[in-house]
Amino acid sequence: MREVGIVGVGHPPFGKYEGSLMAMLCEAAVAALDDAGLKTGAGHGVDQVLVSSMGASQVNRQTGVASALVDTLNLRPAMAETVENGPASGASAVKLGYMAIVSGMCDVVLVVGGERMRVLSGWEATDFVATMLHPEAEYAYGLTLPSFAGMFTRLIMAKYGVTERDLAMVSVKNHQNAMFNPAAHIQLVPDLEAITEDEDALTINPYVAEPLHLYDTCPVSDGAAAVVLCALDVKERFAKRPVKIAGIGQATDTHVVAEREVPTDLFAVRRAAERAYAMAGLGPQDIDVAELHDAFTILEIVEAEEVGFFPRGEGHLAVRRGETRIGGRIPINTSGGLKAKGHPLGATGVSQIIELVRQLRGEADGRQVKDAQAGLAVNFGGFGNNVVATILTREEE
Amino acid sequence: MEREMQAYQCTQCGELHHPLHYVCRKCGGRDFKEVPLRGEAALLTWTKVYNLPEGYMRPSLGFCIVEFENGLRVAGQLEVDRPIFGMKVRAVVDVVREGVGEDYYGFIFKPAQE
Ligand SMILES: [Zn+2]
């Protein structure tokens, strides 16, 4: 089978973007093309463009975004599609780009993920994201993603002894990592005692969806991120040595969360990771760095268990021991994660993959994991009803 | 008007569903009949959510997942002061979201004995 690598990455800072959605996407795209050493204009060499966005049509009232992007960048007549798979849109678009190259239809694919969320108020953003829930059995009740995360957290706490402090430790770790990532939205580190034990902890860190606090949830961010994929048999065209896409796995679960057989499991995470490991010929013990979808801190802990880093129910113990920090046994969310880097839905999956590329290239500066050879990203859609896992490996010269 | 919520029973194998699916999860059947979904349920998990969307004129709202005696699990709103794992709650059908033109009815779970 044809092999595929990533030869260019573009990741402007997440946060508040003043320009249009299109300008934001273009900025990321051009940065990725530059990084790959591709020129713009005639002879650009891009066969296909994929744009991942969950909210372009609803939030920004723009459809046909990929077609518009291709023209704005003058990449015509490249093929173009917009990909929507909820908050997992980014990794889905990379997967589809991979498939386009493996099929032989394309040699070079540009994937651009982006979301302009800050035009919404906080609750409008939460309400928009909740439209991916079941319309009658969930959304109509006023249920949201934080509601399900809160109910899930309560079950996990009761079953495995995870505490609010454990969750706050995940948050503090990710904020610390983000201080070394100039593209991260939030550039401050909360004090663990101040958000947990101190007298006014509940004022600084109020409940959002009990038992989850403000510092357990990701912010609302604008942001775009882009990667250039290529067939490894044409890698000589590019400036940078490719990072290989070694495995991709995806799985779905029940749309209605209450219908899950084991309410404390994230089945689709487990199955997606198993498929990615099988394709890569690797296992959890081979992974040196991971980006796990921490839209809520509890998810980082349970996903780490589902992908096999820790036995079930012991993820929080690993957090206490510092195993998931940079320098620990398996550093998780070195980019700052969704918690601190931000979660511009359609950009997130692409952003996670970019962090792995930087780690595997040795370009992660102050947050570099020493001698990283293989990385895993988990991009989580719905409340875990559509999950994409991607494994990247460093290629030898 | 008395409102009622329904479960959907596969006419081929008897498997209960809520909400309605087009195909039975157990046998692949495609024909369902409605059976009333009501009575008592056990509280499996819950949360209290703050910062609600406009239209909910209150500071917080309770939500839960429960298991009915027939084994069906559903999500709904929760109006219980001190929730405890496994406690019995009673399914009441009332307005759960005020809509433009038409309100949406669903489960609100309340203490079993009053
Ligand atoms: Zn059936």
Side-chain angles (χ1 to χ4, degrees), chain A residues 116-168:
Chain A
R116 199 156 162 264
M117 298 283 292
R118 297 286 298 241
V119 294
L120 303 176
S121 68
W123 73 258
E124 282 174 335
T126 304
D127 181 67
F128 160 64
V129 174
T131 59
M132 68 180 159
L133 298 174
H134 192 283
E136 290 90 30
E138 297 178 333
Y139 179 77
Y141 283 90
L143 283 156
T144 55
L145 275 296
S147 320
F148 281 109
M151 292 195 282
F152 180 75
T153 304
R154 192 179 300 283
L155 287 171
I156 296 289
M157 284 180 166
K159 191 167 179 182
Y160 300 118
V162 177
T163 65
E164 292 183 13
R165 190 181 172 86
D166 293 329
L167 300 181

Coordinates of all heavy atoms in Angstrom, one line a residue, chain A residues 116-168:
Chain A
R116 N -14.5 29.7 13.6 CA -14.6 31.1 14.2 C -15.8 31.1 15.1 O -16.9 31.4 14.8 CB -14.7 32.1 13.0 CG -14.3 33.4 13.5 CD -13.9 34.3 12.4 NE -14.0 35.7 12.9 CZ -15.0 36.5 12.8 NH1 -16.0 36.2 12.0 NH2 -15.0 37.7 13.3
M117 N -15.4 30.8 16.4 CA -16.4 30.6 17.5 C -16.8 31.8 18.3 O -17.8 31.9 18.9 CB -15.9 29.5 18.4 CG -15.6 28.2 17.9 SD -17.2 27.3 17.6 CE -17.7 27.0 19.3
R118 N -15.8 32.8 18.3 CA -15.9 33.9 19.3 C -16.9 34.9 18.8 O -17.1 35.9 19.6 CB -14.5 34.5 19.5 CG -13.5 33.5 20.1 CD -13.8 33.3 21.6 NE -13.7 34.6 22.3 CZ -12.9 34.8 23.3 NH1 -12.1 33.9 23.7 NH2 -12.9 36.0 23.9
V119 N -17.6 34.7 17.7 CA -18.7 35.6 17.4 C -19.9 35.2 18.2 O -20.9 35.9 18.3 CB -19.1 35.4 15.9 CG1 -17.9 36.0 15.0 CG2 -19.4 34.0 15.5
L120 N -19.8 34.1 18.9 CA -20.9 33.6 19.8 C -20.6 34.0 21.3 O -19.4 34.0 21.7 CB -21.1 32.1 19.7 CG -21.3 31.5 18.3 CD1 -21.4 30.0 18.4 CD2 -22.6 32.1 17.7
S121 N -21.6 34.1 22.1 CA -21.5 34.2 23.5 C -21.2 32.8 24.0 O -21.3 31.8 23.3 CB -22.7 34.8 24.2 OG -23.8 33.8 24.1
G122 N -20.8 32.7 25.3 CA -20.4 31.4 25.9 C -21.5 30.4 25.8 O -21.3 29.3 25.3
W123 N -22.8 30.8 26.2 CA -23.8 29.8 26.1 C -24.3 29.5 24.7 O -24.7 28.4 24.4 CB -25.0 30.2 27.1 CG -25.9 31.3 26.6 CD1 -25.8 32.6 27.1 CD2 -26.9 31.3 25.6 NE1 -26.8 33.4 26.4 CE2 -27.4 32.6 25.5 CE3 -27.4 30.3 24.8 CZ2 -28.5 32.9 24.7 CZ3 -28.4 30.6 23.9 CH2 -29.0 31.9 23.9
E124 N -24.2 30.5 23.8 CA -24.5 30.3 22.4 C -23.6 29.2 21.8 O -24.0 28.3 21.1 CB -24.4 31.6 21.6 CG -25.5 32.5 21.7 CD -25.3 33.8 21.0 OE1 -24.1 34.2 20.8 OE2 -26.3 34.5 20.6
A125 N -22.3 29.3 22.2 CA -21.3 28.3 21.7 C -21.7 26.9 22.3 O -21.7 25.9 21.6 CB -19.9 28.7 22.2
T126 N -22.0 26.9 23.6 CA -22.4 25.6 24.2 C -23.6 25.1 23.5 O -23.7 23.9 23.3 CB -22.6 25.8 25.7 OG1 -21.5 26.4 26.3 CG2 -23.0 24.5 26.4
D127 N -24.6 25.9 23.3 CA -25.8 25.5 22.6 C -25.6 25.0 21.2 O -26.1 24.0 20.8 CB -26.8 26.7 22.6 CG -28.1 26.3 22.0 OD1 -28.8 25.5 22.6 OD2 -28.4 26.8 20.9
F128 N -24.7 25.7 20.5 CA -24.4 25.3 19.1 C -23.8 23.9 19.1 O -24.2 23.0 18.4 CB -23.4 26.3 18.4 CG -22.7 25.6 17.2 CD1 -23.4 25.2 16.1 CD2 -21.4 25.4 17.3 CE1 -22.8 24.5 15.1 CE2 -20.7 24.8 16.2 CZ -21.4 24.3 15.1
V129 N -22.8 23.7 20.0 CA -22.1 22.4 20.1 C -23.1 21.3 20.4 O -23.1 20.1 20.0 CB -20.9 22.4 21.1 CG1 -20.3 21.0 21.3 CG2 -19.9 23.4 20.6
A130 N -24.1 21.7 21.3 CA -25.1 20.7 21.7 C -26.0 20.2 20.6 O -26.8 19.2 20.7 CB -26.0 21.3 22.9
T131 N -26.0 20.9 19.4 CA -26.9 20.5 18.3 C -26.4 19.1 17.8 O -27.1 18.5 17.0 CB -26.9 21.5 17.2 OG1 -25.6 21.7 16.7 CG2 -27.5 22.8 17.6
M132 N -25.2 18.6 18.2 CA -24.8 17.3 17.7 C -25.4 16.2 18.6 O -25.3 15.0 18.3 CB -23.3 17.2 17.6 CG -22.6 17.2 18.9 SD -20.8 17.0 18.6 CE -20.2 17.7 20.1
L133 N -26.1 16.5 19.7 CA -26.7 15.5 20.5 C -28.0 15.1 19.9 O -28.5 15.7 18.9 CB -27.0 16.1 21.9 CG -25.8 16.6 22.7 CD1 -26.2 17.3 24.0 CD2 -24.9 15.4 23.0
H134 N -28.7 14.1 20.4 CA -29.9 13.6 19.8 C -31.0 14.7 20.0 O -31.3 15.2 21.1 CB -30.4 12.3 20.6 CG -31.5 11.6 19.8 ND1 -32.8 12.1 19.9 CD2 -31.5 10.6 19.0 CE1 -33.6 11.3 19.1 NE2 -32.8 10.4 18.6
P135 N -31.7 15.1 18.9 CA -32.6 16.2 19.0 C -33.7 16.1 20.0 O -34.0 17.0 20.7 CB -33.1 16.3 17.5 CG -32.2 15.5 16.7 CD -31.6 14.5 17.6
E136 N -34.3 14.9 20.0 CA -35.5 14.8 20.9 C -35.1 14.2 22.3 O -35.6 14.7 23.3 CB -36.5 13.8 20.3 CG -37.3 14.4 19.1 CD -36.6 14.1 17.8 OE1 -36.0 13.1 17.7 OE2 -36.7 15.0 16.9
A137 N -34.2 13.2 22.3 CA -33.9 12.5 23.6 C -32.9 13.3 24.4 O -32.7 13.0 25.6 CB -33.4 11.1 23.3
E138 N -32.2 14.3 23.8 CA -31.2 15.0 24.6 C -31.3 16.5 24.5 O -31.5 17.2 25.4 CB -29.8 14.5 24.1 CG -29.6 13.0 24.4 CD -28.3 12.4 23.9 OE1 -27.7 12.9 23.0 OE2 -27.8 11.4 24.5
Y139 N -31.1 17.0 23.2 CA -31.0 18.4 23.0 C -32.2 19.1 23.5 O -32.1 20.2 24.2 CB -30.8 18.7 21.6 CG -30.7 20.2 21.3 CD1 -29.5 20.9 21.6 CD2 -31.8 20.9 20.7 CE1 -29.5 22.3 21.3 CE2 -31.7 22.3 20.5 CZ -30.5 22.9 20.8 OH -30.5 24.3 20.5
A140 N -33.4 18.6 23.3 CA -34.7 19.2 23.7 C -34.8 19.5 25.2 O -35.5 20.3 25.6 CB -35.8 18.4 23.2
Y141 N -34.1 18.7 26.0 CA -34.1 18.8 27.4 C -33.2 19.9 27.9 O -33.3 20.2 29.1 CB -33.6 17.5 28.1 CG -34.6 16.4 28.0 CD1 -34.7 15.5 27.0 CD2 -35.5 16.2 29.1 CE1 -35.6 14.5 27.0 CE2 -36.4 15.2 29.1 CZ -36.5 14.3 28.0 OH -37.4 13.3 28.0
G142 N -32.4 20.5 27.1 CA -31.5 21.5 27.6 C -30.2 20.8 27.9 O -29.3 21.5 28.4
L143 N -30.0 19.6 27.6 CA -28.7 18.9 27.8 C -27.7 19.4 26.9 O -28.0 19.8 25.7 CB -28.9 17.4 27.6 CG -29.6 16.6 28.7 CD1 -30.3 15.3 28.2 CD2 -28.6 16.3 29.8
T144 N -26.5 19.5 27.4 CA -25.3 20.0 26.6 C -24.1 19.0 26.8 O -24.2 18.1 27.6 CB -24.9 21.4 27.1 OG1 -24.7 21.2 28.5 CG2 -26.0 22.4 26.9
L145 N -23.0 19.3 26.1 CA -21.8 18.5 26.3 C -21.3 18.6 27.8 O -21.0 17.5 28.4 CB -20.8 18.9 25.3 CG -20.9 18.2 23.9 CD1 -20.7 16.7 24.1 CD2 -22.2 18.5 23.2
P146 N -21.3 19.8 28.4 CA -20.9 19.8 29.8 C -21.8 19.0 30.7 O -21.3 18.4 31.6 CB -21.0 21.3 30.2 CG -20.8 22.0 28.9 CD -21.4 21.1 27.8
S147 N -23.1 18.9 30.4 CA -24.0 18.1 31.2 C -23.6 16.7 31.1 O -23.5 16.0 32.2 CB -25.5 18.2 30.7 OG -25.8 19.5 30.2
F148 N -23.4 16.1 30.0 CA -22.9 14.7 29.9 C -21.6 14.5 30.5 O -21.4 13.5 31.1 CB -23.0 14.3 28.4 CG -24.4 13.9 27.9 CD1 -25.0 14.8 27.0 CD2 -25.0 12.9 28.5 CE1 -26.3 14.5 26.7 CE2 -26.3 12.6 28.1 CZ -27.0 13.4 27.2
A149 N -20.7 15.5 30.3 CA -19.4 15.3 31.0 C -19.5 15.3 32.5 O -18.8 14.5 33.2 CB -18.5 16.5 30.5
G150 N -20.4 16.1 33.0 CA -20.6 16.1 34.5 C -21.2 14.8 35.0 O -20.7 14.2 35.9
M151 N -22.1 14.3 34.2 CA -22.7 13.0 34.7 C -21.7 11.8 34.5 O -21.7 10.9 35.4 CB -24.0 12.7 33.8 CG -25.1 13.7 34.2 SD -26.7 13.2 33.5 CE -26.6 13.6 31.8
F152 N -20.9 11.9 33.5 CA -19.9 10.9 33.3 C -18.8 11.0 34.4 O -18.4 10.0 35.0 CB -19.2 11.1 31.9 CG -18.1 10.2 31.5 CD1 -18.5 8.9 31.1 CD2 -16.8 10.6 31.5 CE1 -17.5 8.0 30.8 CE2 -15.8 9.7 31.2 CZ -16.1 8.4 30.8
T153 N -18.4 12.2 34.8 CA -17.5 12.4 35.8 C -17.9 11.8 37.1 O -17.2 11.2 37.9 CB -17.1 13.9 36.0 OG1 -16.7 14.4 34.7 CG2 -16.0 14.1 37.0
R154 N -19.2 12.1 37.4 CA -19.8 11.5 38.7 C -19.6 10.0 38.8 O -19.3 9.4 39.8 CB -21.2 12.0 38.9 CG -21.7 11.7 40.3 CD -23.1 12.2 40.5 NE -23.3 13.6 40.3 CZ -23.0 14.6 41.1 NH1 -22.4 14.3 42.3 NH2 -23.3 15.8 40.8
L155 N -19.9 9.4 37.7 CA -19.8 7.9 37.6 C -18.4 7.4 37.8 O -18.1 6.5 38.5 CB -20.4 7.4 36.3 CG -21.9 7.4 36.1 CD1 -22.2 7.0 34.6 CD2 -22.6 6.4 37.0
I156 N -17.5 8.1 37.1 CA -16.1 7.7 37.2 C -15.5 7.9 38.6 O -14.8 7.1 39.1 CB -15.2 8.5 36.2 CG1 -15.7 8.2 34.7 CG2 -13.7 8.3 36.3 CD1 -15.3 6.8 34.2
M157 N -15.9 9.0 39.2 CA -15.5 9.3 40.6 C -15.9 8.2 41.5 O -15.2 7.8 42.4 CB -16.0 10.7 41.0 CG -15.3 11.9 40.4 SD -16.0 13.4 41.0 CE -14.7 14.6 40.5
A158 N -17.2 7.9 41.4 CA -17.8 6.9 42.3 C -17.1 5.5 42.1 O -16.9 4.7 43.0 CB -19.3 6.8 42.1
K159 N -16.8 5.2 40.9 CA -16.3 3.8 40.5 C -14.8 3.7 40.8 O -14.4 2.6 41.3 CB -16.6 3.5 39.1 CG -16.4 2.1 38.7 CD -17.0 1.8 37.3 CE -16.8 0.4 36.8 NZ -17.4 0.2 35.5
Y160 N -14.1 4.7 40.5 CA -12.6 4.6 40.6 C -11.9 5.5 41.6 O -10.7 5.5 41.7 CB -12.0 4.8 39.2 CG -12.5 3.9 38.2 CD1 -13.2 4.3 37.1 CD2 -12.3 2.5 38.3 CE1 -13.7 3.5 36.1 CE2 -12.8 1.6 37.3 CZ -13.5 2.1 36.2 OH -13.9 1.3 35.3
G161 N -12.7 6.4 42.3 CA -12.0 7.2 43.3 C -11.3 8.4 42.8 O -10.4 9.0 43.4
V162 N -11.6 8.8 41.5 CA -11.1 10.0 41.0 C -11.6 11.2 41.8 O -12.8 11.2 42.1 CB -11.4 10.2 39.5 CG1 -10.9 11.5 38.9 CG2 -10.9 9.0 38.7
T163 N -10.8 12.2 42.1 CA -11.2 13.3 42.9 C -11.2 14.6 42.0 O -10.6 14.7 40.9 CB -10.3 13.6 44.1 OG1 -9.0 14.0 43.6 CG2 -10.2 12.3 44.9
E164 N -11.9 15.6 42.5 CA -11.9 16.9 41.9 C -10.5 17.5 41.8 O -10.1 18.1 40.8 CB -12.8 17.9 42.6 CG -14.3 17.5 42.5 CD -15.2 18.5 43.1 OE1 -14.8 19.7 43.4 OE2 -16.4 18.2 43.3
R165 N -9.6 17.2 42.8 CA -8.3 17.6 42.8 C -7.5 16.9 41.6 O -6.6 17.6 41.0 CB -7.6 17.3 44.1 CG -6.2 18.0 44.3 CD -5.6 17.6 45.7 NE -4.3 18.0 45.8 CZ -3.9 19.3 46.1 NH1 -4.8 20.1 46.4 NH2 -2.6 19.6 46.2
D166 N -7.7 15.6 41.4 CA -7.1 14.9 40.3 C -7.4 15.7 39.0 O -6.5 15.9 38.1 CB -7.6 13.5 40.2 CG -7.2 12.6 41.3 OD1 -6.1 12.9 41.9 OD2 -7.9 11.7 41.7
L167 N -8.6 16.1 38.8 CA -9.0 16.7 37.6 C -8.3 18.1 37.5 O -7.8 18.5 36.4 CB -10.5 16.9 37.5 CG -11.4 15.6 37.5 CD1 -12.8 16.0 37.5 CD2 -11.0 14.7 36.4
A168 N -8.2 18.8 38.6 CA -7.6 20.1 38.6 C -6.1 19.9 38.3 O -5.5 20.8 37.6 CB -7.7 20.8 39.9

